[in-house]
């Protein structure tokens, strides 16, 4: 049976991990490769790097990080943040990434997703959607870390991106992100049930139970989290044991 | 002596190359990602990965003068160990229905068709998510196959695909996986083996399969 994927996400800035686990045996806690190796050992099903490098001159640092990680971790690796052109995608894939996630560039020019899926295959194109509840109860797509409204309905957008060839949707609730209150279940459920491709739920995880809620109640195929893993509050193995006890298929 | 990973121009070979480089030894020789028929001819082991749509990968293979002939000669006539991965495995079939009917290499009789998200579902079930993406357990039929040495029944491998190969001859089916419907996971005959999953993305078990392949003497 296909198992639920648990995906730790590492925020990388100028080639360094911003928030990382600080285990005693770590030689360099800021090195993304060291962090990736820990998650690899702990049984992560995939790994995601989110590149939050702001300056354009440092943008290539992520390529080196991806390349060094891919030499040591033989599991699927997704890279997001600042993916704006086919050249960006090509460079990341050549460095060893398996998937790229596209967010703002898709909103700015939706056909970019179609062109990318055609060129590189849907299997490596993830569209990341940041959604937020607006007045009237609808969910809308936001960009720039939830600060900029687009006026686009989140469900319609997710469907359009799948039509354009996205192989997976990474959905982040901007209302829940950073709150530790758990996934936005109504949002997750709404999008997951509207699309034919797998949905990765993100934003708001604060405890072990939240992961299984995202799958059982939200209908997500995979769950992604950053800080709960980084600060060592929750171990990947604990999440999987909890899911398994609840009858969800996991890779133990 | 060397390992040739054939580059059909279809995306991400870096990831595959790194796993083979990790498992390569003095006996296997170096790993080359190549489009060159001569490099394929000199190799001891031949790997055909593949990502994206079947017709594109096939077109990529056919567009390089002499490459398909070299592959045919080395694998079918000389019997060199061959591993097809994902679309590379699907290319071993007679034909694929992805976008349009496209001929494969015809090494393993069978057809590649889209996974039907609604087939065999009970009333309360939701349609299957396509692509079939993630870690799934394999059921091994031919547990004596040298490339599956030390790989237990029920081991997990990483899949990502929307089409699947259905073989015509039962003895070519080496392993399957369960996605609500049965999906072909490994096919093979003689000196050829193909995996629908990505061994290069499947952590320890995947590396073990690659190591088995690189020590295979069919």
């Amino acid at each position: 049976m296909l198992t639920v994927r648990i995906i730790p996400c590492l925020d990388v800035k100028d080639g360094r991990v911003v928030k990382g686990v600080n285990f005693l045996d770590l030689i360099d806690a800021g090195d993304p490769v060291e962090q990736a190796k820990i998650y690899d050992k702990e049984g992560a099903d995939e790994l995601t790097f989110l590149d939050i490098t702001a300056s354009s001159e440092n943008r290539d640092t992520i390529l080196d990080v991806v390349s060094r990680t891919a030499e040591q971790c033989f599991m699927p690796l997704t890279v997001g943040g600042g993916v704006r052109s086919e050249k960006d995608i090509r460079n990341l894939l050549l460095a060893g990434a398996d998937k790229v996630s596209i967010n703002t560039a898709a909103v700015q020019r939706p056909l970019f997703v179609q062109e990318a899926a055609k060129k590189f295959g849907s299997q490596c194109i993830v569209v990341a959607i940041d959604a937020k509840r607006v007045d009237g109860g609808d969910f809308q797509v936001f960009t720039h870390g939830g600060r900029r409204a687009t006026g686009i309905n989140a469900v319609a957008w997710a469907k359009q991106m799948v039509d354009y060839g996205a192989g997976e949707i990474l959905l982040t609730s901007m209302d829940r992100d950073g709150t530790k209150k758990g996934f936005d279940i109504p949002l997750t459920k709404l999008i997951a049930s509207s699309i034919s491709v797998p949905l990765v739920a993100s934003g708001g995880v604060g405890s072990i139970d939240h992961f299984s809620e995202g799958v059982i109640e939200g209908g997500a195929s995979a769950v992604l989290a950053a800080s709960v893993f980084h600060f060592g509050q929750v171990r990947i193995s604990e999440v999987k044991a909890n899911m398994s006890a609840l009858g969800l298929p996991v890779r133990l | 002596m060397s390992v040739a990973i054939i580059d059909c121009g279809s995306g991400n070979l870096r990831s595959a190359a790194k796993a083979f480089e990790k498992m390569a030894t003095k006996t296997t020789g170096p790993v080359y990602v190549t489009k060159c028929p001569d490099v394929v001819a000199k190799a001891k082991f031949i790997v055909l990965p593949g990502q994206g749509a079947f017709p594109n990968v096939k077109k990529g293979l056919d567009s390089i003068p002499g490459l398909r002939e070299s592959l045919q000669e080395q694998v079918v006539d000389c019997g060199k160990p061959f591993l097809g991965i994902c679309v590379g495995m699907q290319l071993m079939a007679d034909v694929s229905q992805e976008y349009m009917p496209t001929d494969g290499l015809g090494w393993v009789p069978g057809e590649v068709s889209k996974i039907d998200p609604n087939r065999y579902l009970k009333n309360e079930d939701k349609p299957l998510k396509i692509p079939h993406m993630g870690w799934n357990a394999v059921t091994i039929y031919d547990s004596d196959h040298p490339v599956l040495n030390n790989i237990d029944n029920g081991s997990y491998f990483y899949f990502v695909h929307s089409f699947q190969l259905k073989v015509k001859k039962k003895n070519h089916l080496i392993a399957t996986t369960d996605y609500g419907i049965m999906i072909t996971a490994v096919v093979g005959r003689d000196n050829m083996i193909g995996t629908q999953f990505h061994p290069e993305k499947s952590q320890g078990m995947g590396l073990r399969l690659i190591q088995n392949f690189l020590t295979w003497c069919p």
Side-chain angles (χ1 to χ4, degrees):
Chain A
M1 221 161 138
L2 187 70
T3 55
V4 176
R5 287 172 283 150
I6 314 296
I7 310 174
C9 175
L10 287 164
D11 291 353
V12 180
K13 190 180 180 188
D14 303 320
R16 304 283 292 169
V17 174
V18 180
K19 295 177 287 186
V21 274
N22 202 354
F23 294 142
L24 286 174
D25 54 347
L26 259 190
I27 298 158
D28 180 358
D31 181 8
V33 184
E34 291 283 312
Q35 299 277 336
K37 278 161 72 180
I38 291 177
Y39 288 141
D40 189 13
K41 251 188 228 150
E42 294 215 322
D45 295 306
E46 288 185 24
L47 190 66
T48 292
F49 283 135
L50 182 62
D51 186 17
I52 54 169
T53 304
S55 63
S56 51
E57 64 262 33
N58 277 343
R59 292 222 65 100
D60 282 351
T61 53
I62 192 70
L63 296 178
D64 176 58
V65 167
V66 170
S67 169
R68 288 190 295 123
T69 305
E71 267 160 30
Q72 305 199 39
C73 298
F74 298 96
M75 64 172 167
L77 179 61
T78 305
V79 183
V83 178
R84 294 200 164 79
S85 66
E86 286 186 11
K87 194 177 157 226
D88 291 337
I89 299 174
R90 181 179 300 281
N91 286 341
L92 285 166
L93 296 181
L94 285 174
D98 297 289
K99 307 186 226 179
V100 294
S101 84
I102 305 171
N103 189 336
T104 308
V107 175
Q108 287 168 343
R109 201 173 70 81
L111 282 175
F112 173 48
V113 171
Q114 197 172 51
E115 291 157 11
K118 216 168 196 175
K119 190 147 197 170
F120 303 102
S122 291
Q123 84 290 337
C124 71
I125 305 299
V126 181
V127 170
I129 300 176
D130 293 343
K132 202 162 150 175
R133 196 186 285 268
V134 291
D135 293 341
D138 276 357
F139 292 100
Q140 226 181 65
V141 178
F142 279 68
T143 58
H144 298 82
R147 293 190 304 276
R148 197 173 295 181
T150 63
I152 302 168
N153 177 277
V155 176
W157 179 242
K159 282 183 173 171
Q160 187 187 351
M161 289 296 95
V162 173
D163 284 345
Y164 279 19
E168 188 170 59
I169 298 291
L170 167 58
L171 175 69
T172 303
S173 159
M174 299 317 289
D175 293 317
R176 288 300 178 92
D177 204 29
T179 64
K180 301 203 178 295
K181 286 182 182 165
F183 294 116
D184 186 327
I185 297 296
L187 169 68
T188 309
K189 201 171 167 181
L190 186 64
I191 307 279
S193 60
S194 310
I195 57 173
S196 55
V197 302
L199 177 123
V200 184
S202 154
V205 170
S207 74
I208 289 178
D209 293 333
H210 291 156
F211 287 95
S212 44
E213 282 170 16
V215 178
I216 296 170
E217 293 170 40
S221 299
V223 281
L224 178 141
S227 43
V228 278
F229 292 134
H230 296 160
F231 298 120
Q233 281 167 282
V234 168
R235 305 289 286 259
I236 292 165
S237 52
E238 294 171 334
V239 175
K240 289 193 169 180
N242 176 263
M243 283 188 171
S244 179
L246 291 167
L248 290 173
V250 286
R251 186 176 63 112
L252 291 168
Chain B
M1 275 185 301
S2 56
V3 182
I5 299 182
I6 296 176
D7 178 7
C8 299
S10 72
N12 186 14
L13 298 188
R14 210 43 233 138
S15 176
K18 282 182 173 172
F20 282 86
E21 279 161 10
K22 167 125 180 149
M23 303 320 287
T25 60
K26 276 182 193 157
T27 327
T28 63
V31 177
Y32 299 117
V33 174
T34 184
K35 293 180 176 183
C36 175
D38 289 343
V39 176
V40 175
K42 283 181 189 139
K44 191 174 175 189
F45 299 92
I46 300 169
V47 183
L48 181 62
Q51 276 195 351
F54 188 104
N56 291 348
V57 180
K58 181 69 190 328
K59 211 166 104 190
L61 185 65
D62 286 341
S63 69
I64 303 145
L67 184 58
R68 194 178 162 183
E69 292 75 9
S70 179
L71 190 61
Q72 183 78 19
E73 195 178 290
Q74 297 305 317
V75 178
V76 179
D77 304 339
C78 303
K80 284 182 181 172
F82 170 88
L83 170 62
I85 299 173
C86 197
V87 180
M89 168 262 218
Q90 295 178 357
L91 277 168
M92 296 162 80
D94 294 321
V95 65
S96 166
Q97 301 299 341
E98 187 168 1
Y99 292 117
M100 53 187 154
T102 306
D103 282 346
L105 296 164
W107 294 349
V108 171
E111 187 176 306
V112 178
S113 55
K114 187 152 179 112
I115 300 170
D116 183 349
N118 297 309
R119 217 166 153 208
Y120 304 125
L121 294 185
K122 296 178 199 111
N123 291 335
E124 71 273 23
D125 289 347
K126 293 180 198 131
L128 297 170
K129 295 286 186 187
I130 306 287
H132 170 229
M133 186 191 287
W135 295 82
N136 208 335
V138 295
T139 302
I140 300 171
Y141 299 107
D142 181 3
S143 53
D144 292 331
H145 199 293
V147 177
L148 300 181
N149 186 31
N150 275 324
I151 293 172
D152 292 334
N153 207 20
S155 296
Y156 285 97
F157 289 92
Y158 190 81
F159 290 81
V160 48
H161 62 120
S162 305
F163 285 74
Q164 77 146 325
L165 168 55
K166 285 181 181 158
V167 293
K168 283 194 184 132
K169 291 186 182 162
K170 235 179 166 180
N171 60 330
H172 291 161
L173 189 64
I174 293 178
T176 58
T177 192
D178 177 6
Y179 188 42
I181 53 173
M182 191 186 83
I183 285 176
T184 304
V186 184
V187 296
R189 56 163 267 227
D190 309 319
N191 57 313
M192 309 164 189
I193 190 154
T195 63
Q196 180 61 70
F197 54 76
H198 289 266
E200 78 279 15
K201 293 282 111 193
S202 298
Q203 294 179 328
M205 274 303 154
L207 293 177
R208 186 173 293 172
L209 187 144
I210 291 171
Q211 186 178 39
N212 288 342
F213 172 70
L214 293 176
T215 49
W216 190 27
C217 309

